[in-house]
Amino acid sequence: MIPIKKGFEADIDYNYQRMYVSGMMQLISHMLKAGSQVDDVIKTEVAEMPDGFVFRMNVMPGELSLTMQKQQGALVNLTNYTDKPDLTMSFKHVTFAFLVFSFQEHTAQAYANERLIIDGDVPTSMKVVRCLNRLQTVILPKVVAKKAVKTYPDLEFIQKIQMTTKTYSQFLVNLVKER
Amino acid sequence: MANEYYEFFCPVKMVAGFKALEHIPFELSSHDASRPLIITDRGVRGVGLVDIVTKALEAADMQAIDIFDDVPPDSSMITVATIAALYREKECDSILAIGGGSVIDTAKGVNILVSEGGDDLRAYSGTGVVKSPLNPFFVIPTTAGTGSETTNVSVIKDDKTGAKVPFVSPFLLPDAAILDPRMTLSLPPKITAATGMDALTHAVESFTGLAKNPISDAYATAAMKKIVTHLPEVLKNPSDAAGRLQLAEASTMAGIAFSNSMVGMVHSLGHSVGAKCHVPHGLCMSILMPHVLEFNLSVSSENIGELLLHVAGSDVYASTPVAERPAKAIATIIALKEEMYALCELPRKLSETGSVKETDLEDIARMALDDGSMLLNPIDATFEQALSVLKKAF
């Protein structure tokens, strides 16, 4: 059972937030890889990123992070990348990452609320944000996705189901291949 | 309680008003500085604005050690390195930037190099790389629009790649901004109008964007009131020094607001129109602002409705039903644009600029989606939506 702190507002223990954020980062990096292989919107955004482009999303001081690179037209996960990425999106604290990954606050609002620092090439950072928004729109139920993104796009139910199925299927295929 | 949170930061001392320039010698000495380098451009020096500053220094037994007056319209790293070498050669200890956005951005870059060391500005690019206080730095704006004297950002062109490189740090902010009406008295009417509308856009986008906060709202709304009151008056009477000072103050206040709350889609589209068609920034802002407000109405009607109080006054606000306030606020801004056109022929549409072709609009819309300002616009625009706004503004 997850312990809830009592106080000004009920909150989840930082250790559980860290575990949740770590898991979500793993999931998002794998889903983004799958999305960049099968989703036309994400594929178009990735196509306009420079080859070899590396972006990282992390939680300061850096123990939690996901790093991805554009390779052969799609995004792949990097596990031991030590150079400075072309783009870094850093949450100032694990609890701010938790707010975003638990869909209480979308990425743009986190940036507006000074919880997230974006450092790097601005035009490409906008493409990455759009990829993340599209991914959340596709893989989450609409009621959750509407909280996770600033503007929920016009997406018919049938289209959404098709894209959700394709993305999750590719995610599973990738998991099997990587084993 | 929602997840509301904000930060507000502006340590810049304001030295504003009658004979403000004569305070510069004291400001320099209070920072233990006595050997300032003036950074400016040829236009500013040509109309005699630098002379006013140097005479004020000389009267206090102080002098500018040198004057660099060749800052180009787009700040460049080569220019920054050249000025930094001059600063070191002449053993200067402080910087006076006299000019608009490009001069101020260039001076910020110079201050990084002369304070932190080195000749390659690229080493300091990005967010938060500069982590310690820089040398004494004072800004004297000669336009009332950019607000650069209160921003922690400098954007400088990399001459090798052509890319515009951002430098972001609170230490880039000047120690003081000196606002003296003599600095903007000679500004031609069209530039006065365009820069005034630029400042109004900073205030409006700060007030209606995702990062708005109570303190930036206070600055933004006060700036709006000053601009709508004094901009038409100054255009009717360009030698109105008191009105000029009001506009300079409004520009700085709008700068404080947007440097804490950021801007939105008017700037995304405007940056792209400027990059593609070389239309002056303030003019783009003036043309696009009402169209973007209309686009944002579906999610920001309350904030846009509140604009009415600050752009039309309390009587109009009180006599307008709540539901009609957003449309009336936009109509008031459109009326201000029409007034600018009547007073100095400031173009009202992109087609009237003579620089934008309808065939450019698709490229502009595409570029605008990748502009960082879009992140804090209340709505994420699609390509089709951005294009639709541009077509209405054409």
Side-chain angles (χ1 to χ4, degrees):
Chain A
M1 186 177 158
I2 295 175
I4 305 291
K5 284 182 179 174
K6 291 180 179 174
F8 174 64
E9 273 195 75
D11 209 348
I12 296 172
D13 187 276
Y14 289 140
N15 288 325
Y16 286 91
Q17 291 187 20
R18 193 171 284 113
M19 283 167 57
Y20 178 83
V21 169
S22 175
M24 285 300 285
M25 280 183 158
Q26 289 279 331
L27 180 66
I28 285 171
S29 66
H30 284 94
M31 292 303 285
L32 201 49
K33 177 181 175 180
S36 72
Q37 292 168 314
V38 296
D39 184 284
D40 288 341
V41 174
I42 297 177
K43 280 163 78 173
T44 304
E45 296 288 359
V46 172
E48 292 182 11
M49 295 175 189
D51 282 332
F53 173 79
V54 176
F55 75 88
R56 173 174 292 156
M57 182 177 269
N58 68 3
V59 177
M60 288 181 168
E63 68 182 288
L64 300 175
S65 70
L66 72 85
T67 308
M68 304 198 75
Q69 183 174 40
K70 179 183 173 184
Q71 289 180 8
Q72 296 171 330
L75 296 174
V76 298
N77 310 315
L78 297 181
T79 48
N80 293 311
Y81 188 79
T82 52
D83 290 345
K84 187 178 186 226
D86 300 297
L87 171 70
T88 305
M89 302 166 82
S90 302
F91 290 101
K92 291 180 180 174
H93 192 276
V94 68
T95 208
F96 304 152
F98 181 77
L99 284 173
V100 169
F101 290 129
S102 58
F103 317 115
Q104 298 176 63
E105 185 169 272
H106 55 69
T107 310
Q109 193 62 55
Y111 180 66
N113 289 357
E114 312 269 2
R115 308 193 210 274
L116 178 65
I117 296 170
I118 298 177
D119 185 15
D121 178 63
V122 174
T124 319
S125 73
M126 296 300 291
K127 295 182 200 306
V128 171
V129 169
R130 286 199 295 270
C131 286
L132 290 167
N133 285 346
R134 170 68 179 184
L135 182 73
Q136 293 179 99
T137 305
V138 166
I139 67 172
L140 296 171
K142 185 175 179 180
V143 65
V144 179
K146 284 177 95 168
K147 289 186 175 180
V149 298
K150 182 171 45 167
T151 308
Y152 191 83
D154 286 334
L155 191 61
E156 288 180 14
F157 180 72
I158 296 294
Q159 273 182 302
K160 180 174 163 64
I161 290 295
Q162 284 173 340
M163 286 320 305
T164 305
T165 309
K166 275 175 83 171
T167 307
Y168 274 105
S169 302
Q170 186 63 41
F171 166 70
L172 292 172
V173 168
N174 289 347
L175 277 187
V176 172
K177 279 185 184 172
E178 287 168 15
R179 285 206 156 193
Chain B
M1 182 180 159
N3 296 332
E4 287 172 11
Y5 173 86
Y6 67 88
E7 293 176 8
F8 186 91
F9 183 69
C10 182
V12 182
K13 179 176 180 179
M14 297 300 153
V15 179
F18 180 68
K19 303 290 182 191
L21 297 174
E22 280 74 4
H23 285 258
I24 296 173
F26 173 78
E27 291 302 322
L28 284 165
S29 58
S30 67
H31 285 77
D32 201 20
S34 58
R35 299 178 60 80
L37 171 68
I38 290 180
I39 300 174
T40 187
D41 63 39
R42 285 183 180 162
V44 168
R45 195 173 190 185
V47 294
L49 297 181
V50 175
D51 294 340
I52 304 174
V53 177
T54 52
K55 281 178 186 165
L57 290 172
E58 283 161 14
D61 289 334
M62 206 177 262
Q63 62 176 9
I65 299 305
D66 210 331
I67 300 171
F68 183 93
D69 67 357
D70 201 16
V71 174
D74 271 339
S75 321
S76 84
M77 289 195 185
I78 289 178
T79 307
V80 167
T82 303
I83 303 173
L86 178 67
Y87 181 104
R88 288 170 181 144
E89 181 197 329
K90 297 292 175 77
E91 297 181 337
C92 298
D93 61 10
S94 51
I95 294 171
L96 296 179
I98 309 174
S102 177
V103 166
I104 298 170
D105 274 10
T106 300
K108 287 174 180 171
V110 173
N111 207 18
I112 294 173
L113 284 187
V114 298
S115 307
E116 297 278 291
D119 294 313
D120 188 2
L121 195 58
R122 291 172 200 85
Y124 301 100
S125 68
T127 302
V129 178
V130 177
K131 293 181 190 292
S132 52
L134 306 182
N135 291 355
F137 173 38
F138 304 91
V139 169
I140 304 150
T142 57
T143 62
T146 68
S148 301
E149 65 276 14
T150 60
T151 64
N152 62 357
V153 181
S154 173
V155 179
I156 296 175
K157 191 174 78 181
D158 184 334
D159 304 85
K160 284 183 185 166
T161 63
K164 292 200 169 185
V165 182
F167 301 81
V168 186
S169 164
F171 298 108
L172 267 59
L173 284 158
D175 295 290
I178 294 98
L179 310 180
D180 188 305
R182 286 171 286 179
M183 291 288 106
T184 52
L185 266 180
S186 58
L187 217 53
K190 228 177 221 176
I191 299 179
T192 301
T195 51
M197 294 303 282
D198 184 19
L200 182 64
T201 309
H202 291 153
V204 165
E205 292 219 282
S206 161
F207 187 77
T208 55
L210 279 191
K212 76 195 259 60
N213 70 64
I215 303 178
S216 67
D217 281 357
Y219 280 98
T221 54
M224 286 178 218
K225 191 174 174 188
K226 280 177 184 278
I227 294 164
V228 297
T229 305
H230 295 285
L231 185 54
E233 294 307 316
V234 165
L235 289 173
K236 287 171 197 162
N237 176 18
S239 59
D240 172 9
R244 292 277 188 188
L245 178 63
Q246 292 287 334
L247 292 180
E249 288 173 352
S251 167
T252 298
M253 292 163 84
I256 293 170
F258 93 83
S259 63
N260 284 278
S261 296
M262 309 300 279
V263 286
M265 185 174 162
V266 185
H267 276 77
S268 317
L269 294 173
H271 290 154
S272 306
V273 173
K276 174 85 181 166
C277 306
H278 309 291
V279 178
H281 178 71
L283 183 49
C284 296
M285 299 296 99
S286 177
I287 292 169
L288 293 163
M289 178 169 37
H291 301 286
V292 172
L293 288 173
E294 276 174 6
F295 172 71
N296 284 335
L297 261 181
S298 62
V299 298
S300 289
S301 63
E302 193 179 330
N303 290 334
I304 295 170
E306 286 304 299
L307 287 176
L308 185 64
L309 175 62
H310 311 291
V311 298
S314 53
D315 288 347
V316 174
Y317 178 82
S319 63
T320 307
V322 174
E324 293 172 21
R325 284 174 186 165
K328 188 118 179 178
I330 295 171
T332 304
I333 291 170
I334 292 171
L336 183 65
K337 272 175 62 175
E338 291 294 334
E339 194 174 3
M340 297 297 103
Y341 180 76
L343 288 169
C344 65
E345 296 187 346
L346 189 74
R348 299 157 296 179
K349 301 173 182 174
L350 292 173
S351 55
E352 287 178 355
T353 64
S355 305
V356 184
K357 300 190 292 286
E358 196 161 7
T359 50
D360 293 328
L361 299 185
E362 288 198 4
D363 282 347
I364 294 168
R366 215 166 279 119
M367 288 165 72
L369 299 185
D370 284 344
D371 188 278
S373 307
M374 192 65 90
L375 193 57
L376 295 183
N377 194 64
I379 304 176
D380 274 334
T382 62
F383 168 76
E384 290 77 15
Q385 288 168 330
L387 185 60
S388 165
V389 171
L390 286 167
K391 283 183 175 171
K392 285 178 187 165
F394 189 79

